[in-house]
């Protein structure tokens, strides 16, 4: 059972409704007024659609369409095209973005989605895709609402397109649009995944220095270059971003290999009979729920999950298995020895260094003066509570105790060690998330 608060979709529904209303308004306005510069609108629609077909997966299993996002931003910030003023306006920006998203998602239905999954899920059946589309529409609408009225009203004319002031203005608008998108993404992740908003926002802002900055820079570059070379700027200046996507795909392959290594090590103790079936997964699920409750971000949660899955690897060095694999019931010195043996194995597998450090310290006392290694990491304290919780539950089931009573007994036992053996904040978090 995965512990955690039931996700509240109220915020997500509000964001989706706002995006749908804006898109409906934009499509209606374009239908009534007609399409300004149809050839330009079609070119950006195709670019956005193609970008949706070549998505990448970012850390935290978040999908992104960098080329589509950059194309939509470029259209929102598009001023003159080869020296000729444009007049598409904010609502047409939103309509073109929406049309590109829809075409890209429909085209994605017929493209392969990896081994064992011959076709992509319909876009309307994928919550992550719906969240991404809503964010894109609102963020691009925001950028267009800031830039297009000022441009079409002539207020931007005081900035020479060749001068630095125009570039600074575009940078400011693009940065505000990126902040808008990051805030929306954090709100949606808080609503759908239980992650605290400050941690979610920190993750999103951090991602702006990765692929996010490349998207913003490409969008600005395309809008500026189109003023000189016209629509040829779209394929020409999106090529570097496409190459960046290839690098991200390779990084994703490395992460997948790391995940396979971790899964194998986590299963090794179960196959060898040292731990009960599913123990590592249950500890990892509980640890991640506690990490979210305590405000950890995506990267910290990923490292925490890795360490939790491999926390019992040190048991493979034991001559005789611990009964039921319940290391939490062993003397503290023996727990520390097993943890450090496991850390030595993990440090040779190529997983991030922090994972081995977290496993090495998970049985260290959480109170008293810090050891020579410094304070015990929060992740180690979380895993210790999650592991003890599952060990106590397993022992209760072995005595024939019911699930509800067993959970109460386990939580009470942890509370007896609160502030001494187990971190008080982590035990309190366990009580809040349903321990």
């Amino acid at each position: 059972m995965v512990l955690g608060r039931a996700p509240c979709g109220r915020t997500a529904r509000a964001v989706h409704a706002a995006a749908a209303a804006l898109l409906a308004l934009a499509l209606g306005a374009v239908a009534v007024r007609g399409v300004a510069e149809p050839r330009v609108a079609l070119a950006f629609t195709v670019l956005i659609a193609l970008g949706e077909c070549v998505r990448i997966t970012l850390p935290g299993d978040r999908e992104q369409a960098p080329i589509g996002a950059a194309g939509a931003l470029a259209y929102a910030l598009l001023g003159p095209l080869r020296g000729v003023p444009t007049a598409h306006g904010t609502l047409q920006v939103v309509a073109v973005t929406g049309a590109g998203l829809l075409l890209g998602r429909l085209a994605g239905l017929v493209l392969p989605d990896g081994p064992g999954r011959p076709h992509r899920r319909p876009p309307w059946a994928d919550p992550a895709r719906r969240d991404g589309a809503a964010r894109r529409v609102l963020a691009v609408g925001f950028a267009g609402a800031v830039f297009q009225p000022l441009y079409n009203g002539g207020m931007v004319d005081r900035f020479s397109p060749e001068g630095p002031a125009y570039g600074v203005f575009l940078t400011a608008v693009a940065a505000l649009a990126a902040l808008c998108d990051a805030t929306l993404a954090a709100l949606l992740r808080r609503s759908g995944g239980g992650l605290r908003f400050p941690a979610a926002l920190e993750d999103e802002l951090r991602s702006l220095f990765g692929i996010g900055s490349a998207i913003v820079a490409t969008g600005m570059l395309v809008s500026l270059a189109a003023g000189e070379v016209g629509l040829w700027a779209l394929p020409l200046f999106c090529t570097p971003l496409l190459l960046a996507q290839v690098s991200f795909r390779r990084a994703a392959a490395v992460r997948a290999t790391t995940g396979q290594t971790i899964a194998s090590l986590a299963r090794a103790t179960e196959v060898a009979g040292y731990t009960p079936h599913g123990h590592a997964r249950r500890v990892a699920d509980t640890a991640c729920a506690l990490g979210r409750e305590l405000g950890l971000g995506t990267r910290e949660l990923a490292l925490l999950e890795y360490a939790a899955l491999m926390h019992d690897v040190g048991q493979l060095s034991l001559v005789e298995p611990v009964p039921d694999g319940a290391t939490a019931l062993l003397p503290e010195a023996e727990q520390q020895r097993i943890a450090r043996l496991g850390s030595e194995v993990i440090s040779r597998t190529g997983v991030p260094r922090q994972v081995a450090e977290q496993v090495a310290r998970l049985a260290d006392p959480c109170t008293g003066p810090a050891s020579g290694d410094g304070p015990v990491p929060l992740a180690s304290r979380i895993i210790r509570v999650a592991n003890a919780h599952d060990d106590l539950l397993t022992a209760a089931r072995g005595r024939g105790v019911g699930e509800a009573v067993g959970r109460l007994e386990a939580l009470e036992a942890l509370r007896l060690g609160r502030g001494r053996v187990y971190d008080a904040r982590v035990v309190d978090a366990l009580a809040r998330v349903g321990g």
Side-chain angles (χ1 to χ4, degrees):
M1 176 180 178
V2 180
L3 300 178
R5 293 176 175 172
C8 171
R10 190 177 305 167
T11 302
R13 288 194 296 271
V15 171
H16 294 166
L22 177 59
L23 182 56
L25 175 63
L27 291 173
V30 170
V32 172
R33 301 174 186 172
V35 180
E37 295 107 18
R39 188 171 61 91
V40 179
L42 178 61
F44 278 94
T45 300
V46 171
L47 177 64
I48 295 169
L50 290 175
E52 287 298 312
C53 294
V54 287
R55 302 173 68 85
I56 59 173
T57 301
L58 301 176
D61 292 328
R62 292 175 293 165
E63 284 195 347
Q64 176 65 279
I67 292 178
L73 179 62
Y75 193 52
L77 302 179
L78 184 63
L81 186 69
R82 296 196 70 177
V84 178
T86 58
H88 47 276
T90 303
L91 291 179
Q92 184 164 311
V93 167
V94 174
V96 165
T97 300
L101 286 169
L102 181 59
L103 288 175
R105 303 299 169 83
L106 292 176
L109 291 176
V110 299
L111 296 177
D113 198 26
R117 293 162 59 192
H119 297 290
R120 299 180 187 271
R121 295 174 62 189
W124 50 85
D126 191 336
R129 295 288 182 90
R130 292 199 301 269
D131 288 351
R135 283 170 45 200
R136 182 83 56 79
V137 167
L138 292 174
V140 168
F142 174 81
V146 174
F147 178 82
Q148 290 296 325
L150 296 177
Y151 171 74
N152 291 323
M155 297 184 66
V156 182
D157 291 344
R158 66 185 65 179
F159 305 137
S160 170
E162 293 81 16
Y166 187 73
V168 171
F169 174 64
L170 282 183
T171 302
V173 176
L176 289 174
L179 289 175
C180 174
D181 181 70
T183 303
L184 289 171
L187 286 171
L188 289 167
R189 290 180 61 200
R190 172 66 185 93
S191 176
L195 194 66
R196 288 181 178 270
F197 177 74
L201 183 60
E202 181 182 352
D203 283 342
E204 296 299 330
L205 293 176
R206 187 180 299 163
S207 73
L208 290 179
F209 295 98
I211 193 68
S213 60
I215 291 171
V216 171
T218 301
M220 291 171 48
L221 184 61
V222 169
S223 68
L224 285 169
E228 297 295 329
V229 301
L231 294 179
W232 284 107
L234 275 64
L236 182 62
F237 291 96
C238 284
T239 300
L241 189 56
L242 182 61
L243 297 177
Q245 284 193 214
V246 174
S247 298
F248 271 88
R249 288 185 185 277
R250 290 178 178 173
V254 172
R255 290 197 301 272
T257 302
T258 300
Q260 293 170 0
T261 301
I262 291 168
S264 299
L265 285 173
R267 286 279 297 153
T269 56
E270 297 177 8
V271 173
Y274 282 86
T275 58
H277 177 72
H279 170 73
R281 183 70 262 172
R282 292 192 299 272
V283 171
D285 289 342
T286 302
C288 288
L290 294 174
R292 284 190 292 269
E293 179 65 23
L294 293 170
L296 297 186
T298 300
R299 174 171 170 75
E300 289 78 13
L301 286 173
L303 295 174
L304 173 65
E305 183 178 21
Y306 290 167
L309 285 171
M310 296 189 291
H311 75 280
D312 271 328
V313 169
Q315 289 200 49
L316 295 173
S317 64
L318 302 179
V319 177
E320 293 292 335
V322 178
D324 294 323
T327 53
L329 307 181
L330 294 174
E332 189 170 90
E334 183 65 7
Q335 293 184 44
Q336 292 174 348
R337 186 179 77 86
I338 293 173
R340 282 167 169 74
L341 287 171
S343 175
E344 291 177 6
V345 174
I346 293 169
S347 64
R348 291 174 170 80
T349 62
V351 300
R353 173 180 50 83
Q354 298 94 319
V355 175
E357 293 174 352
Q358 291 169 7
V359 171
R361 304 294 303 283
L362 64 85
D364 287 4
C366 63
T367 58
S371 69
D373 296 325
V376 180
L378 176 58
S380 301
R381 289 176 270 157
I382 289 174
I383 297 171
R384 187 171 193 180
V385 169
N387 177 60
H389 181 260
D390 193 72
D391 285 348
L392 292 168
L393 275 179
T394 300
R397 295 187 190 105
R399 301 195 312 269
V401 176
E403 189 71 16
V405 175
R407 289 185 176 279
L408 289 174
E409 286 185 359
L411 185 58
E412 185 59 31
L414 292 172
R415 280 174 169 160
L416 290 176
R418 180 181 179 275
R420 181 172 49 86
V421 179
Y422 305 111
D423 185 276
R425 282 199 307 148
V426 180
V427 175
D428 291 344
L430 179 66
R432 290 195 299 271
V433 300

